[in-house]
Amino acid sequence: MLGYIIKRLCNAVVVLWVVITITFGLMHAIPGGPFTTEKNLPPQVMANIEARYKLNDPLYKQYADYLVNITHGDLGPSFKYQGRTVNDIIKESFPVSFRLGMDSIILAILIGIPAGVFAALKRGKWQDRVINFFTTLGVAVPSFVLAALFIEVFALKLGLLPAAMWGGWKNQILPAVALAGMPMAFITRLTRSSMIDVLGQDYIKTAKAKGLSALNVLFRHALPNSLIPVVTYIGPMAAGILTGSFVIESIFAIPGLGRYFVTSIYNRDYTVILGVTIFYSALIILMNMLVDFVYPLLDPRIKLGKKEN
């Protein structure tokens, strides 16, 4: 186990280095810079600004300096948000995105898995068709459409929930449900298809032949194995949701990390782009590692770090 963890950590370092290198190269390959949109700046002023942020250094030196700073956990200052570092931006905004993301993930899992199991048990019946209809809508309808619909119905017409801003638990309901719509639909469809496949396996038939109760067969034998593809999807999905959805955060005026990620791109805020990309990549790697550790809990036949002969 220890050897497996060390191997995965080494792979994670290599992946992060590749992400940093590619992102750094792509940013500097785009014409312009973080201060080219500033109007009426004299050349001397522009030169002083670039010297302050070391943008006039050779590209290889900027790259080397950034890698050194990364090893110390320093993601650098923001070029557009004066007096703020990338570490400050992530520290202040990620907890908001994390809270919204956790609400959405829990909602998607608590509804998606039972709905998928129920649809599989009712395969071909009207209950299955109804669930498939709503999951198709969930996959096809973008989250911003759901957000606008929820605001119109529950906030403006019925007046039950706030239309925007971030604060108490009522402010979290509409954005969490809108953000959970598509993941919930995917989880439902994955659970249904996986459960149908598992229920047709020989060991399920053997368990039934031994006289085990239907609930025992379902929850002890069928459900754990059917959740393996679901867990595989939940890993990267959770990383994406936890880092924030720019569209949902913009619609509901939520001060999360997602808006910084997108605004930094058209602001050419190099350090914010790199910092958030590194943070997002590290979170994906972490979630994928957690998924690998969950596999043996669902199926004891899966052994970490061991290959089948």
Side-chain angles (χ1 to χ4, degrees), residues 117 121 208 211-224:
V117 172
L121 296 177
K208 292 179 179 179
L212 297 179
S213 65
L215 291 178
N216 195 332
V217 172
L218 177 63
F219 289 104
R220 184 176 179 181
H221 299 280
L223 185 58

Side-chain angles (χ1 to χ4, degrees), residues 3-4 26 35 41 48 87 90-91 163 165 191-192 210 213 221 223 240 253 258 264 272-273 302 304:
Y4 175 79
L26 289 176
F35 302 105
L41 285 180
N48 291 336
N87 297 66
I90 294 176
K91 183 179 179 180
M165 304 306 293
T191 304
R192 176 187 179 275
K210 290 182 178 180
S213 65
H221 299 280
L223 185 58
S264 64
V272 175
I273 296 173
I302 300 177
L304 294 179

Side-chain angles (χ1 to χ4, degrees), residues 22 24 32 129 149-150 162 166 185 202 231 240 246 273 283 292 304:
I22 293 176
F24 186 91
R129 291 193 291 269
L149 178 63
F150 292 159
W166 187 253
D202 291 337
V231 171
F246 173 73
I273 296 173
L283 194 58
D292 288 343
L304 294 179

Side-chain angles (χ1 to χ4, degrees), residues 137-287:
L137 284 180
V139 173
V141 178
S143 59
F144 63 86
V145 175
L146 290 177
L149 178 63
F150 292 159
I151 291 175
E152 176 68 20
V153 175
F154 296 102
L156 300 181
K157 289 189 176 181
L158 299 179
L160 298 177
L161 297 168
M165 304 306 293
W166 187 253
W169 63 271
K170 288 186 177 181
N171 298 85
Q172 303 174 36
I173 295 177
L174 293 184
V177 175
L179 190 57
M182 185 175 293
M184 186 190 306
F186 270 113
I187 290 174
T188 302
R189 293 169 71 93
L190 280 174
T191 304
R192 176 187 179 275
S193 60
S194 181
M195 178 63 73
I196 290 175
D197 179 67
V198 169
L199 289 176
Q201 297 296 319
D202 291 337
Y203 69 90
I204 297 296
K205 298 176 182 178
T206 302
K208 292 179 179 179
K210 290 182 178 180
L212 297 179
S213 65
L215 291 178
N216 195 332
V217 172
L218 177 63
F219 289 104
R220 184 176 179 181
H221 299 280
L223 185 58
N225 289 325
S226 65
L227 290 181
I228 291 177
V230 178
V231 171
T232 303
Y233 167 73
I234 289 177
M237 177 273 293
I241 291 181
L242 291 177
T243 49
S245 168
F246 173 73
V247 176
I248 295 299
E249 291 181 356
S250 298
I251 291 175
F252 291 97
I254 298 173
L257 186 60
R259 64 170 182 168
Y260 287 103
F261 184 63
V262 177
T263 56
S264 64
I265 295 175
Y266 61 77
N267 283 335
R268 305 287 179 84
D269 200 344
Y270 294 159
T271 50
V272 175
I273 296 173
L274 269 170
V276 177
T277 301
I278 294 170
F279 184 77
Y280 178 70
S281 302
L283 194 58
I284 289 180
I285 293 172
L286 175 62
M287 295 306 299

